[in-house]
């Protein structure tokens, strides 16, 4: 990541641990102002403290990305703190290890809500803030399981396949507005 993120405002969902935390910390190192999101506020506080202790700028935005009202509040937090948003990283996600025989409708719905509805809602509510900005971008964290699959990950693989499809659709819709949309498929 280059210093080109100096002064940009970046929202990272699921930034309370793992890949999301690393993304948030790296953006902060590159000079971005980071809005740290996670469902658990204690994780958010820890990552914000880590970023600020290292000399970066960050605010916390605990929210459930599958809930439209909470997503709106998250963006209100970003605007209050930094005035706008330049980059969105949709990293929040859940995965359970169970066979299709043991997958309940509630399990399926929760995975789809977090992993697929979340990135949709984040992009939808962020759009007014990104229009007309310099080099706005949306990065969706998919998975190699969205391109293939592993055993006992039926809802996760399906949701991540949806993330890759959503990303392509967003790129087509938002590209003419100058908003880049890409997916990364860790695995």
């Amino acid at each position: 990541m280059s210093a080109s993120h100096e002064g940009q405002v970046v929202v990272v969902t699921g930034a309370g641990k793992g890949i999301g935390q690393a993304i948030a910390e790296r953006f902060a190192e590159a000079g971005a102002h980071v809005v740290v999101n996670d469902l658990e506020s204690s994780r958010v506080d820890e990552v914000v403290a880590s970023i600020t202790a290292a000399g970066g700028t960050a605010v916390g935005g605990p929210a459930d990305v599958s809930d439209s009202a909470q997503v709106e509040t998250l963006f209100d937090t970003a605007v209050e703190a930094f005035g706008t948003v330049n980059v969105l990283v949709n990293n929040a996600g859940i995965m359970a290890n169970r066979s299709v025989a043991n997958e309940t409708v509630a399990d399926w719905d929760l995975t789809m809500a977090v992993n697929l509805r979340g990135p949709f809602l984040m992009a939808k509510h962020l759009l007014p803030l990104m229009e007309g900005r310099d080099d706005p971008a949306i990065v969706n964290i998919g998975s190699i399981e969205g391109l293939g699959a592993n055993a006992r990950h039926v809802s996760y693989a399906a949701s991540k396949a949806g993330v890759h499809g959503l990303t392509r659709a967003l790129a087509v819709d938002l590209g003419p507005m100058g908003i880049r949309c890409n997916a990364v498929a860790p695995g």
Side-chain angles (χ1 to χ4, degrees):
M1 194 173 305
S2 70
S4 65
H5 296 288
E6 189 72 39
Q8 287 190 328
V9 179
V10 180
V11 175
V12 183
T13 69
K17 63 180 181 175
I19 292 172
Q21 180 177 353
I23 292 168
E25 290 173 348
R26 187 64 187 103
F27 267 111
E29 288 171 15
H33 306 297
V34 182
V35 180
V36 176
N37 163 262
D38 198 272
L39 188 58
E40 295 183 33
S41 58
S42 62
R43 288 184 189 166
V44 169
D45 294 342
E46 289 173 14
V47 175
V48 169
S50 172
I51 289 171
T52 56
T57 306
V59 297
D64 177 350
V65 298
S66 70
D67 181 288
S68 188
Q70 290 187 45
V71 168
E72 287 182 39
T73 300
L74 174 60
F75 287 122
D76 290 344
T77 298
V79 170
E80 286 173 21
F82 304 119
T84 192
V85 175
N86 303 89
V87 177
L88 167 63
V89 180
N90 281 313
N91 174 70
I94 58 172
M95 177 178 64
N97 189 25
R98 61 182 156 252
S99 70
V100 68
N102 294 324
E103 183 92 10
T104 67
V105 171
D107 296 333
W108 175 272
D109 289 347
L110 178 61
T111 302
M112 292 300 158
V114 174
N115 294 4
L116 189 53
R117 184 186 329 140
F120 159 73
L121 289 173
M122 294 295 292
K124 179 177 179 56
H125 289 296
L126 179 64
L127 189 58
L129 295 175
M130 285 192 149
E131 290 180 283
R133 302 295 311 163
D134 265 351
D135 201 25
I138 298 172
V139 179
N140 292 325
I141 306 300
S143 171
I144 60 169
E145 288 201 54
L147 308 170
N150 287 325
R152 303 176 56 85
H153 290 172
V154 65
S155 59
Y156 180 77
S159 70
K160 291 300 184 172
V163 167
H164 291 286
L166 173 66
T167 303
R168 289 188 293 275
L170 289 173
V172 170
D173 280 358
L174 304 180
M177 299 165 63
I179 302 172
R180 288 180 296 113
C181 301
N182 295 288
V184 178

